[in-house]
Amino acid sequence: MASEQLNLSNLRPAQARKDRKRVGRGQGSGKGRYSGRGIKGQKSRAGSHKMRAGFEGGQMPVYMRIGKQRGSTSKDAMPIGPFRTYSQPVNVASLQRFDAGTEVTPELLKEAGLIRSTRQDVKILGNGELSTKLTVVAHAVSGSAREKIEKAGGAVTLLREPKVKKAKHKPKPVAEQAEEAPDEQPAQEEPAEEAPAEEAQG
């Protein structure tokens, strides 16, 4: 075959072609009557293989049965909308690769492959140890990370001032409320005078 010239008269497939089983061609074919789909039911109907993901036969699907956090501004909602932010975490152990005295900026972290983009905030976390003196410039830093950076002789510069949390109003204890309340007792009402009983008329 390799020696002779290839043309339309001597074309042959690499492997023998195997015809597929033609279903629904009578009882004697071996795949007649129900054509391998069984008796009735959803999967015996045309288009049954086109069911969408999460379809549970018409019953209430699981994504509708579970509770949801509504709104893009919800505290527990997914990071969506203009009021939700996402920060790229970098541990102090990853900063050990830089030389002493280096100013670690988001641009330098991107060059080192520690973050993907400089358009998103960078937060330094305290996982690991750091023994190199560095000046870290980031959008946020955790308390443990700041402690380890400063312990190594470095410094932290924030690109965005942290938000000051509003103090929650706590109800006063019952004892203080009792002290503030005036010691006044409500006046006792005098019993009303009983009307004289009417004399029986004979």
Side-chain angles (χ1 to χ4, degrees), residues 9-180:
S9 65
N10 56 21
L11 280 177
R12 297 289 186 274
Q15 295 177 350
R17 183 175 178 273
K18 184 177 180 181
D19 293 335
R20 68 176 182 85
K21 189 74 173 180
R22 298 177 69 230
V23 298
R25 297 299 187 273
Q27 298 270 3
S29 67
K31 283 291 183 181
R33 195 170 184 181
Y34 301 118
S35 305
R37 297 191 180 192
I39 303 177
K40 298 184 181 179
Q42 182 176 9
K43 292 184 178 179
S44 70
R45 311 303 183 187
S48 61
H49 62 285
K50 297 181 180 179
M51 291 179 288
R52 58 176 170 77
F55 181 66
E56 297 184 18
Q59 76 171 12
M60 189 67 68
V62 64
Y63 66 86
M64 295 180 67
R65 296 198 299 266
I66 61 177
K68 303 166 188 65
Q69 294 293 343
R70 300 292 186 179
S72 60
T73 59
S74 172
K75 180 180 179 181
D76 299 319
M78 294 175 61
I80 58 175
F83 303 103
R84 298 290 294 172
T85 58
Y86 172 77
S87 60
Q88 302 174 95
V90 178
N91 289 304
V92 292
S94 302
L95 305 180
Q96 189 70 30
R97 68 184 66 188
F98 298 110
D99 298 331
T102 304
E103 184 179 14
V104 181
T105 61
E107 291 76 14
L108 187 60
L109 293 174
K110 185 176 184 303
E111 292 179 6
L114 296 176
I115 61 174
R116 292 186 176 183
S117 174
T118 56
R119 292 180 294 180
Q120 293 175 339
D121 292 0
V122 178
K123 183 172 183 178
I124 309 300
L125 303 180
N127 188 15
E129 297 297 330
L130 180 67
S131 59
T132 308
K133 180 180 179 181
L134 300 172
T135 302
V136 181
V137 180
H139 299 85
V141 61
S142 67
S144 59
R146 180 187 291 273
E147 181 181 350
K148 291 180 180 180
I149 293 171
E150 293 177 350
K151 184 178 179 181
V156 176
T157 303
L158 294 180
L159 295 174
R160 183 179 291 115
E161 292 298 326
K163 294 182 180 179
V164 180
K165 294 184 179 180
K166 297 181 180 179
K168 293 183 179 179
H169 175 69
K170 295 182 179 179
K172 295 181 179 180
V174 180
E176 294 183 7
Q177 293 180 2
E179 292 177 0
E180 293 180 1

